[in-house]
Amino acid sequence: MKNKTEHIFVNQIGYAPAEKKLAFISNFDGCPKEFNLCDSTGKVVYSGKLGDGIKDALCEEEVFCADFSDFSEEGSFTVCCGGFESYPVKIGKNLYNDLYKSILNYYTLSRCGEEVSDKKWGHPACHTVEADIYGTDLKTTITGGWHDAGDYGRYVVAGTKTIMDLLMAYENSGSVYSDFDILDEVRFELEWLLKMQREDGAVYHKISCYHFCGFVFPQFETEKQVLAPVSTAATADFAGCLAFASSFYENQDKAFADKLMAAALKAQSYLDSNEDNFYSNPKEITTGGYGDMNVSDERYFALCSIYVKTKDEALLKRAIEIRLKAIREEVIDPKAPWRRTWFESYSWGNVSAYGTEILLRNKELLPSELYEELKGAIITRAEKIVSVINAASYKTSHERVFWGSNGMVCDEAHILLLAYDLTGKKDYFDGAARQLDYVLGCNPINICYVTGNGTNSVKNPHHRPSGALKTVMPGMLSGGPSAGLQDEVARNNLTGQPPLKCFIDHVGSYSTNEVAIYWNSPLVYVIAKLGYLK
């Protein structure tokens, strides 16, 4: 036997006593139809029958579900089947507090432009040099913000999506979790975003060096920085995010809240008087582009968010016009059905669901017909996601497995949790929980994709501080499998593998093992929204 755990996959953080508890078992010679749950002495404390096997195109092996939901005794156990046993299975309350703090602390450790105090990951203020304002002879100094991903760039569209997730998580965890100040951490990013706005209201797309650096600590990336051109996506995301964020600071710092709202209105004014400006990297800049050739969803998000703050009916009318026009003109390519003009999403490239959720949270401000239409759109999307989950070997929402797939399943879980709020339908809640199970160990790699957590976690992420120190910073969600094999390490090691196995725990595999602030953030949201901190 190569590895006693190789065929059994569990959530390595644990399960709440009263919630659904599933493990997964891949088929092997002599695989029985039953499984056992054993305590630390090897005593069988629960037995059950395996569900019907599912073999899908993303996994390409038959997988059985082991359901032990009706076992609620707290403790540490293992799932056993045919001579194999799982990593430890914890059942109990408050199992997620340490994980939650870990994934939030990643943001503090990723602060740019100020000294970070930490025995292992601390560093002096970094990236404090002047930056070229691209296309001009001018220079400026913009400090602050979080390092975006495995690199040290700071990107507006990534930062705004991250803030939205963290603030929505705070709404669900702020009253029950006090080990980390989310509002203080978010404020650090907001202060940086304010510096990214031009006098006319437009927002620069990003600030970074001209090219990626090697695997060094941030204070050693000393090359010249550049402030990239403004974009509609950055400006609209900025407007929607800051308008939403302003409400969170009204009671603790009214002046700051007012500053956020004023900046949002200024950005919206720019959007109102300027055509779409799509961003792509100029030839001199080779850091992450975050280009977006469809900004209708960004404009919609901004209008929805500002409408709820100002109650200006003209803004709502324009938001719905954008939405209806996109739906009306939609042409779906049967060879690439994911390239849709409009669908509800929480990704950095499609922020439509943030706008829709903001409106649905304010039912009293909407005509009843509009509320029902928006609610129906979320439910339709959730039903589609649930149908995919039910047919999937590991109960994931993947239809395709692409770069950042772990962040995507967390974003899909967000859709499901909004649908659960709207309907109370338990299938949506359970579907969201399965996405969390997947990233925490219920996957064919048998790995907890969050560094420093679980029994078997990612150890070699594409992350410059980790690479420089040759150890792993805890609390980072790896991007996960990507069937596109977009880097050389992935191509050399994973060609021919089924999509869900297109992952390698290697520092050089940026397409499968990079980390990002906007992959951590939906994970924060899902944990908080599922109520796992209570």
Side-chain angles (χ1 to χ4, degrees), residues 205-350:
H205 196 77
K206 66 174 180 176
I207 184 169
S208 70
C209 292
Y210 281 89
H211 309 290
F212 290 124
C213 68
F215 283 82
V216 298
F217 257 60
Q219 68 269 30
F220 299 124
E221 185 185 50
T222 56
E223 291 80 6
K224 184 182 292 185
Q225 291 196 301
V226 58
L227 194 60
V230 301
S231 71
T232 299
T235 305
D237 281 345
F238 175 100
C241 173
L242 267 65
F244 182 77
S246 64
S247 296
F248 290 81
Y249 297 92
E250 286 176 343
N251 291 332
Q252 59 176 243
D253 189 340
K254 184 67 163 53
F256 181 62
D258 290 346
K259 187 177 183 180
L260 293 176
M261 194 63 209
L265 291 170
K266 192 175 182 180
Q268 185 60 54
S269 178
Y270 177 87
L271 293 168
D272 291 344
S273 56
N274 286 271
E275 298 295 323
D276 290 343
N277 179 8
F278 305 114
Y279 181 84
S280 60
N281 269 339
K283 63 181 181 180
E284 298 92 340
I285 303 174
T286 59
T287 53
Y290 290 96
D292 189 345
M293 301 308 290
N294 180 358
V295 293
S296 59
D297 53 287
E298 283 84 5
R299 285 184 175 270
Y300 168 77
F301 164 48
L303 289 165
C304 292
S305 187
I306 295 175
Y307 164 65
V308 166
K309 290 289 294 183
T310 64
K311 313 299 188 295
D312 182 347
E313 294 290 340
L315 299 178
L316 177 63
K317 181 180 178 181
R318 286 164 52 201
I320 300 309
E321 285 174 350
I322 289 173
R323 180 189 183 91
L324 293 178
K325 182 176 186 291
I327 294 172
R328 188 166 56 246
E329 296 179 354
E330 182 171 69
V331 177
I332 301 175
D333 181 352
K335 295 182 180 179
W338 57 89
R339 293 178 187 158
R340 303 187 63 172
T341 307
W342 192 273
F343 64 99
E344 307 301 333
S345 173
Y346 292 102
S347 67
W348 68 260
N350 182 345

Side-chain angles (χ1 to χ4, degrees), residues 124-433:
C126 57
H127 302 100
T128 57
V129 298
E130 277 190 327
D132 296 334
I133 300 179
Y134 183 82
T136 76
D137 294 328
L138 303 175
K139 298 183 184 296
T140 189
T141 301
I142 294 181
T143 58
W146 300 312
H147 298 140
D148 172 68
D151 63 285
Y152 295 127
R154 288 158 286 158
Y155 307 84
V156 169
V157 295
T160 51
K161 184 250 189 296
T162 302
I163 287 172
M164 292 300 296
D165 292 337
L166 294 181
L167 290 178
M168 289 180 170
Y170 173 79
E171 289 176 310
N172 291 279
S173 66
S175 63
V176 298
Y177 182 83
S178 59
D179 286 349
F180 189 93
D181 191 338
I182 293 178
L183 291 186
D184 180 69
E185 193 58 52
V186 166
R187 180 166 180 159
F188 182 79
E189 183 80 349
L190 288 167
E191 296 276 14
W192 165 73
L193 283 172
L194 288 167
K195 300 174 186 177
M196 293 292 285
Q197 186 174 40
R198 251 179 11 191
E199 279 299 315
D200 62 355
V203 176
Y204 293 106
H205 196 77
K206 66 174 180 176
I207 184 169
S208 70
C209 292
Y210 281 89
H211 309 290
F212 290 124
C213 68
F215 283 82
V216 298
F217 257 60
Q219 68 269 30
F220 299 124
E221 185 185 50
T222 56
E223 291 80 6
K224 184 182 292 185
Q225 291 196 301
V226 58
L227 194 60
V230 301
S231 71
T232 299
T235 305
D237 281 345
F238 175 100
C241 173
L242 267 65
F244 182 77
S246 64
S247 296
F248 290 81
Y249 297 92
E250 286 176 343
N251 291 332
Q252 59 176 243
D253 189 340
K254 184 67 163 53
F256 181 62
D258 290 346
K259 187 177 183 180
L260 293 176
M261 194 63 209
L265 291 170
K266 192 175 182 180
Q268 185 60 54
S269 178
Y270 177 87
L271 293 168
D272 291 344
S273 56
N274 286 271
E275 298 295 323
D276 290 343
N277 179 8
F278 305 114
Y279 181 84
S280 60
N281 269 339
K283 63 181 181 180
E284 298 92 340
I285 303 174
T286 59
T287 53
Y290 290 96
D292 189 345
M293 301 308 290
N294 180 358
V295 293
S296 59
D297 53 287
E298 283 84 5
R299 285 184 175 270
Y300 168 77
F301 164 48
L303 289 165
C304 292
S305 187
I306 295 175
Y307 164 65
V308 166
K309 290 289 294 183
T310 64
K311 313 299 188 295
D312 182 347
E313 294 290 340
L315 299 178
L316 177 63
K317 181 180 178 181
R318 286 164 52 201
I320 300 309
E321 285 174 350
I322 289 173
R323 180 189 183 91
L324 293 178
K325 182 176 186 291
I327 294 172
R328 188 166 56 246
E329 296 179 354
E330 182 171 69
V331 177
I332 301 175
D333 181 352
K335 295 182 180 179
W338 57 89
R339 293 178 187 158
R340 303 187 63 172
T341 307
W342 192 273
F343 64 99
E344 307 301 333
S345 173
Y346 292 102
S347 67
W348 68 260
N350 182 345
V351 294
S352 56
Y354 293 110
T356 299
E357 180 169 352
I358 287 170
L359 293 182
L360 287 169
R361 288 163 165 230
N362 292 273
K363 182 178 180 179
E364 72 283 358
L365 299 180
L366 305 181
S368 58
E369 300 84 1
L370 176 57
Y371 175 83
E372 292 300 327
E373 180 182 332
L374 297 176
K375 176 181 175 181
I378 293 295
I379 292 171
T380 297
R381 183 96 169 85
E383 283 294 319
K384 171 62 175 175
I385 294 171
V386 167
S387 70
V388 172
I389 291 170
N390 289 340
S393 55
Y394 286 89
K395 304 302 179 192
T396 74
S397 63
H398 292 104
E399 290 186 88
R400 298 180 303 122
V401 180
F402 51 82
W403 196 332
S405 61
N406 282 343
M408 183 277 291
V409 297
C410 294
D411 286 333
E412 302 273 68
H414 190 157
I415 291 281
L416 293 174
L417 289 166
L418 175 56
Y420 175 69
D421 280 348
L422 294 169
T423 65
K425 187 174 178 180
K426 193 66 162 52
D427 286 353
Y428 300 148
F429 184 94
D430 290 341

Side-chain angles (χ1 to χ4, degrees), residues 56 108 272 283 368 473 487 497:
D56 63 30
T108 303
D272 291 344
K283 63 181 181 180
S368 58
M473 182 183 288
D487 63 75
Q497 288 292 320

